[in-house]
Amino acid sequence: VTLHLNPISSVHIHQKPLVFLLNSPLPLVWKLKTERLAPGIRRVFLVSLGSVVQFEKGNFSLSAEMEEKFFPEKNEHLLQWAQKEYGAVTSFTELKISRNIYIKVGE
């Protein structure tokens, strides 16, 4: 699955830390494609067991982290866990089948 990340239109270059929880019942390879995300900013990708994130070559991969996690099975439990762990959830998306996911990040 390719995860496309770019800032909302009102933000020229996104310069804040991000945390993504990428959960799947089956192990996946998450391919990351980014545009206009500032280098050197911490970005964390938590993936379900057996999954991996393939970062693009270049500066982005130097400040990005990937960690395998055991996530709660049901979406409502996952959402509660994320809120407890990180204090806030700004976006939650569930997809049954997808090869590309487009996410706009920003204020």
Side-chain angles (χ1 to χ4, degrees), residues 19-88:
V19 176
F20 289 91
L21 279 62
L22 304 173
N23 189 25
S24 173
L26 298 173
L28 286 179
V29 174
W30 296 90
K31 295 179 182 179
L32 203 59
K33 302 268 186 197
T34 63
E35 292 181 33
R36 300 184 353 253
L37 300 184
I41 306 292
R42 186 171 185 243
R43 297 185 179 96
V44 179
F45 297 84
L46 304 174
V47 298
S48 48
L49 299 178
S51 293
V52 296
V53 177
Q54 289 182 346
F55 299 108
E56 294 176 298
K57 293 179 181 170
N59 291 340
F60 186 85
S61 63
L62 298 177
S63 58
E65 304 168 28
M66 185 206 83
E67 183 181 338
E68 282 185 80
K69 281 275 193 192
F70 178 78
F71 292 125
E73 281 188 40
K74 297 187 181 236
N75 284 337
E76 53 271 14
H77 297 145
L78 177 61
L79 187 56
Q80 290 169 356
W81 176 85
Q83 288 171 326
K84 181 180 175 189
E85 195 76 15
Y86 294 97

Side-chain angles (χ1 to χ4, degrees), residues 1-3 28-32 52 95 97-101:
V1 174
T2 303
L3 183 61
L28 286 179
V29 174
W30 296 90
K31 295 179 182 179
L32 203 59
V52 296
L95 302 167
I97 298 174
S98 183
R99 291 180 188 231
N100 290 283
I101 299 171

